[in-house]
Amino acid sequence: QVQLVESGGGLVQAGGSLRLTCAASGNIFSIDRMGWYRQAPGKQRELVAAITSGGSTNYADSVKGRFTISRDNAKNTAYLQANSLKPEDTGVYYCNGDLKLAYKEPTFRYWGQGTQVTVSS
């Protein structure tokens, strides 16, 4: 059974930092793009950052210069280093990955269950 599990969320004061981890497990052949999204109460889920298997990254304008996405392909794991956190960064953070389970099989997007990040002012 393939699953993505996020960890590292919590309560932090404004200006603080957190490091989120997304670990993919199961019978996985390869992972292409991995991404972090967040959803604040009453708002739509939005892209925070994404990274390809080759290391190309893109970020939401609101987190550029503060957040860094990275991955360890050998461990099927992605990370999100979030620095200089602001109250508006509060939300549930989800990771996803575009996974291929076998050679010549199509790629499907899998989601984790999310981890709560709360930034107090």
Side-chain angles (χ1 to χ4, degrees):
Q1 181 179 355
V2 174
Q3 60 177 354
L4 275 67
V5 178
E6 302 97 334
S7 61
L11 174 63
V12 63
Q13 288 189 331
S17 298
L18 285 173
R19 188 188 194 216
L20 306 184
T21 299
C22 171
S25 62
N27 191 15
I28 299 169
F29 178 77
S30 65
I31 304 178
D32 188 9
R33 176 187 174 280
M34 298 186 77
W36 285 97
Y37 291 71
R38 67 186 178 193
Q39 187 165 19
K43 295 188 177 181
Q44 289 188 329
R45 191 175 298 188
E46 62 175 358
L47 174 68
V48 175
I51 185 168
T52 68
S53 58
S56 297
T57 59
N58 66 286
Y59 296 90
D61 288 342
S62 59
V63 306
K64 283 181 180 177
R66 300 188 297 122
F67 289 15
T68 302
I69 189 171
S70 61
R71 64 189 285 173
D72 184 333
N73 290 332
K75 295 182 179 180
N76 287 337
T77 299
Y79 307 95
L80 184 69
Q81 179 66 43
N83 298 330
S84 302
L85 283 161
K86 305 175 181 179
E88 51 263 43
D89 294 318
T90 294
V92 179
Y93 282 67
Y94 299 90
C95 76
N96 69 16
D98 295 339
L99 275 58
K100 182 178 291 190
L101 303 187
Y103 182 59
K104 293 187 177 180
E105 289 294 316
T107 298
F108 291 99
R109 179 160 290 181
Y110 290 79
W111 288 86
Q113 293 299 307
T115 185
Q116 176 70 44
V117 172
T118 303
V119 184
S120 62
S121 57

